[in-house]
Amino acid sequence: MPAVARLRYTAASVLAMARLNKLLLQILRGDADANIPFTGLVQLLKRLGFRERIKGSHHIFFRDGVAEILNLQPNSGKCKPYQVKQVRSVIIAYRLAGELSGESDD
């Protein structure tokens, strides 16, 4: 891969990671649950190791070692506030926030 292309790819991945970190902090703060973009939350959960199954408008997320199953539906491009609260509870209960910045040991 040419150096310029490699630099662009690296810059894009760093920018995407920064966006996910910002979104994670916004979710953990809990002061804007009605303003979380649905696509951002989907990307965040995937980055945290959740797998996704889609059935109609329901996006179902599950992960080994996490007993809860997260069932999310978009609402005009945003997340439903009660579902953001469920995601926050799972992230806190299973201490998943630290897994975003570091690579998993799997």
Side-chain angles (χ1 to χ4, degrees), residues 51-55 58-62 69-71:
R51 289 174 290 181
E52 178 183 28
R53 193 179 86 221
I54 301 172
K55 191 164 188 168
H58 293 257
H59 293 249
I60 301 156
F61 293 90
F62 55 96
I69 294 173
L70 299 168
N71 185 354

Side-chain angles (χ1 to χ4, degrees), residues 30-46:
D31 57 0
D33 288 351
N35 204 22
I36 304 293
F38 186 78
T39 56
L41 185 59
V42 168
Q43 290 174 356
L44 176 67
L45 289 171
K46 287 181 177 180

Side-chain angles (χ1 to χ4, degrees), residues 7-106:
L7 183 60
R8 283 186 188 142
Y9 176 78
T10 303
S13 64
V14 167
L15 184 59
M17 195 60 151
R19 282 190 199 126
L20 289 179
N21 280 325
K22 183 178 177 183
L23 181 63
L24 176 63
L25 291 175
Q26 185 179 5
I27 291 168
L28 292 176
R29 273 196 321 263
D31 57 0
D33 288 351
N35 204 22
I36 304 293
F38 186 78
T39 56
L41 185 59
V42 168
Q43 290 174 356
L44 176 67
L45 289 171
K46 287 181 177 180
R47 185 64 73 128
L48 290 174
F50 284 86
R51 289 174 290 181
E52 178 183 28
R53 193 179 86 221
I54 301 172
K55 191 164 188 168
S57 65
H58 293 257
H59 293 249
I60 301 156
F61 293 90
F62 55 96
R63 175 183 157 155
D64 293 337
V66 175
E68 290 86 351
I69 294 173
L70 299 168
N71 185 354
L72 310 176
Q73 302 90 39
N75 185 19
S76 301
K78 302 283 184 182
C79 296
K80 296 179 180 181
Y82 79 92
Q83 293 173 343
V84 174
K85 186 176 180 182
Q86 290 173 346
V87 170
R88 179 173 42 254
S89 295
V90 168
I91 290 172
I92 292 170
Y94 291 92
R95 300 178 183 193
L96 301 176
E99 294 184 17
L100 187 59
S101 58
E103 293 295 322
S104 65
D105 296 333
D106 295 350

